[in-house]
Amino acid sequence: MNAPDRFELFLLGEGEKKVTEEIDTRTPNTSIFTFNKEDHTLANMIRARLVKNPKVEFCGYKIPHPLFATFELRLQTNGEKTPKEMLIDACQTLIRSLNTLSADWTKEYELRRMVSGGGDK
Amino acid sequence: MDFDDDMILDQGPAVTITEAGDNFVNFALQKVDLSFANSLRRVIMAEIPIMAIDLVEIEVNSSVLPDEFLCHRLGLIPLVSKNCTEDVEYTRECDCDQYCSRCSVTLSLHAKCTSNEIMKVYAADLLVDHDRANPWVGTPVITDAEGKGTVICKLRNGQELRMKCIAKKGIGKEHAKWAPVAAVGFEYDPHNKLKHTDLWFEKSIAEEWPASKHAEWEEPAQEGERFDPDAEPDKYYFEVEGVGNLAPDQIIHEGIKVLQTKLATILNALGETKEDAGERFLPDDDVDMGGRNDFDNGYTTPGYNGPSYGNHGRATPYGATPYGQSGY
């Protein structure tokens, strides 16, 4: 009855920002990004990409409350780049590898269709 | 944008399709990390937009099923959704008052039993209005030999159904009726070499646990091989089982697109405060930003505030809430 509306999982509320950055002063070169209306799908993907980067000292995310579709990504870099730049880089590389995946998929699927004659089964 | 940061990128994801049919595709995804593969799985299950009946205006229902029951059944009927990501608008983002041919498809159902035999009403009896975004969107998916589709309801002599169904675009996160897949199988490391799972056994794992169908794709651990705690999974076996709304390869493509759009939205949001504004972060042209950036326009509840549809109008059980008929 008082369950939150399902669309609150993916529609930004009024005046709500997709991402906000807050600089964490406890450690150098650290920011906490708050993503609204996103979940593990995006969070874990970005996190995994960032921790592979040698310029990243720390990266982790948490979902503060399971009822609210939001996550916080804490990112500390070694100082060569700002956390925000690193995050942008990570998103761009992810988009590029998804492009590769998309192209590879098209190729494989066409090949498959040719082999099995229209792909009927 | 320095590429030197990402040596990982050189390899890029690789796909091997092992089996494919009209409604399913099995493949192995390689050279990506676990979270990438899992994100693809999650996005396929919950965030690919497809069409489903969302609003039903019931004029006559003298069948034994209550209105809500019927609405729920109608909502679950798979509708052809090819290209609906591009061609169909979200009703909440459309300029129209309630719904129009750009953001919805109207299907009407009229059936009356006039004989003493029990009459079945099938999905094929839904009459699709031709005024729609493209010539196929919203047609019920019918795969059985007789071409009748799912049974909606059974009628006795004298019982009648007359209703108008409005199909809208939505995503599985909102309601499972908008999920393009019945299931996505996901497996990695069939021999459990990484020890991500702890298999219970009485005497021996090998005897008690049947080998997975993907076991032959990978080498089992050698006798006396040392466990490598740094090993990471590299090969993921997907079994995507579609419902019929989208062809299996479209499901994958749409999934990738949705993920890219998500990332691009983040890039745009991050770019806003800097001098280099959004555009350069947009992925390739084929990625439809689909108005997702219009979020700043600030709609309250997503544009569903229109008046409810007269006394006979019913939304499908879930749909009831945003339409202000909160009978639940």
Side-chain angles (χ1 to χ4, degrees):
Chain A
M1 217 166 21
N2 55 358
D5 288 319
R6 299 302 295 269
F7 58 75
E8 284 178 17
L9 292 173
F10 52 91
L11 289 182
L12 282 172
E14 208 166 347
E16 210 173 17
K17 282 250 167 51
K18 193 73 194 171
V19 194
T20 49
E21 182 184 9
E22 195 200 328
I23 290 167
D24 189 355
T25 49
R26 292 172 295 181
T27 46
N29 311 311
T30 310
S31 278
I32 295 173
F33 297 92
T34 307
F35 292 71
N36 285 313
K37 306 301 179 228
E38 289 296 348
D39 59 9
H40 296 282
T41 309
L42 189 74
N44 200 15
M45 197 183 195
I46 294 179
R47 192 216 98 245
R49 178 54 55 116
L50 280 166
V51 289
K52 280 193 175 167
N53 195 319
K55 291 176 191 165
V56 170
E57 295 282 326
F58 176 88
C59 183
Y61 79 91
K62 69 171 176 190
I63 293 180
H65 192 286
L67 277 183
F68 302 113
T70 186
F71 74 85
E72 288 170 10
L73 184 92
R74 187 169 184 276
L75 174 57
Q76 181 182 7
T77 69
N78 64 3
E80 274 182 56
K81 281 184 168 182
T82 65
K84 187 175 170 178
E85 284 167 344
M86 299 293 300
L87 179 60
I88 289 174
D89 279 358
C91 290
Q92 282 169 341
T93 37
L94 280 172
I95 289 178
R96 279 200 300 273
S97 42
L98 283 163
N99 266 339
T100 323
L101 175 60
S102 180
D104 205 42
W105 175 266
T106 316
K107 203 176 72 201
E108 271 289 315
Y109 201 78
E110 286 304 313
L111 215 68
R112 176 79 213 177
R113 282 166 68 96
M114 268 152 56
V115 171
S116 60
D120 299 322
K121 213 168 167 122
Chain B
M1 272 232 234
D2 30 346
F3 287 76
D4 57 327
D5 277 352
D6 298 274
M7 300 83 51
I8 337 136
L9 190 74
D10 301 342
Q11 306 173 14
V15 178
T16 323
I17 297 177
T18 50
E19 255 186 292
D22 286 344
N23 274 322
F24 74 97
V25 61
N26 299 346
F27 63 96
L29 182 63
Q30 271 167 296
K31 297 178 188 166
V32 296
D33 48 43
L34 181 54
S35 18
F36 187 97
N38 191 40
S39 290
L40 183 63
R41 179 193 66 87
R42 284 176 65 102
V43 101
I44 287 172
M45 297 222 292
E47 299 186 56
I48 297 176
I50 57 164
M51 303 295 288
I53 292 173
D54 192 38
L55 195 66
V56 184
E57 293 170 28
I58 294 175
E59 282 176 57
V60 180
N61 171 20
S62 49
S63 76
V64 290
L65 298 184
D67 294 358
E68 291 87 344
F69 199 142
L70 270 179
C71 294
H72 184 238
R73 291 184 68 78
L74 286 163
L76 295 176
I77 295 171
L79 305 177
V80 175
S81 306
K82 197 180 160 207
N83 290 353
C84 85
T85 320
E86 288 86 29
D87 296 350
V88 186
E89 299 273 347
Y90 281 107
T91 309
R92 55 179 168 262
E93 285 164 9
C94 191
D95 299 327
C96 60
D97 278 346
Q98 292 177 344
Y99 56 85
C100 67
S101 60
R102 277 181 298 150
C103 63
S104 69
V105 178
T106 308
L107 300 101
S108 34
L109 180 65
H110 188 189
K112 188 173 185 177
C113 181
T114 49
S115 76
N116 277 324
E117 259 176 57
I118 302 284
M119 175 188 171
K120 286 181 184 168
V121 183
Y122 292 95
D125 299 326
L126 285 162
L127 213 69
V128 191
D129 189 350
H130 290 292
D131 189 16
R132 49 181 162 168
N134 66 34
W136 53 79
V137 76
T139 312
V141 174
I142 288 158
T143 47
D144 57 320
E146 292 104 79
K148 288 173 171 172
T150 358
V151 178
I152 298 170
C153 179
K154 289 182 185 178
L155 298 179
R156 234 191 105 175
N157 196 357
Q159 295 179 338
E160 190 182 1
L161 287 182
R162 191 158 69 228
M163 54 192 68
K164 191 169 140 194
C165 314
I166 318 296
K168 294 178 179 174
K169 189 167 86 164
I171 62 172
K173 248 187 184 182
E174 188 168 4
H175 191 291
K177 67 185 175 185
W178 280 300
V181 290
V184 182
F186 185 84
E187 189 187 12
Y188 64 93
D189 188 25
H191 299 291
N192 194 29
K193 278 159 115 176
L194 305 170
K195 306 220 184 294
H196 281 196
T197 181
D198 191 14
L199 298 173
W200 184 90
F201 62 97
E202 271 182 10
K203 290 196 186 88
S204 112
I205 290 175
E207 275 169 40
E208 289 160 44
W209 286 89
S212 129
K213 68 190 255 197
H214 303 117
E216 61 202 54
W217 285 75
E218 284 178 29
E219 286 295 313
Q222 296 302 310
E223 192 83 30
E225 190 181 314
R226 279 184 70 192
F227 172 66
D228 176 7
D230 295 323
E232 281 186 23
D234 186 51
K235 198 168 184 187
Y236 310 88
Y237 305 94
F238 278 77
E239 293 177 321
V240 175
E241 205 179 298
V243 182
N245 326 55
L246 294 172
D249 73 308
Q250 286 165 355
I251 294 177
I252 307 295
H253 273 303
E254 289 297 327
I256 295 172
K257 232 192 266 184
V258 171
L259 269 181
Q260 288 184 319
T261 315
K262 261 180 186 299
L263 289 159
T265 315
I266 300 301
L267 288 174
N268 274 328
L270 288 169
E272 261 174 18
T273 48
K274 253 169 88 180
E275 65 279 7
D276 46 358
E279 282 103 26
R280 62 172 269 227
F281 296 132
L282 283 172
D284 291 349
D285 314 326
D286 59 338
V287 178
D288 174 33
M289 288 304 292
R292 285 177 190 232
N293 293 328
D294 300 345
F295 287 159
D296 301 7
N297 300 348
Y299 29 78
T300 45
T301 52
Y304 283 149
N305 290 330
S308 53
Y309 291 68
N311 296 331
H312 301 295
R314 283 285 196 289
T316 48
Y318 161 65
T321 334
Y323 297 92
Q325 305 170 331
S326 44
Y328 290 83

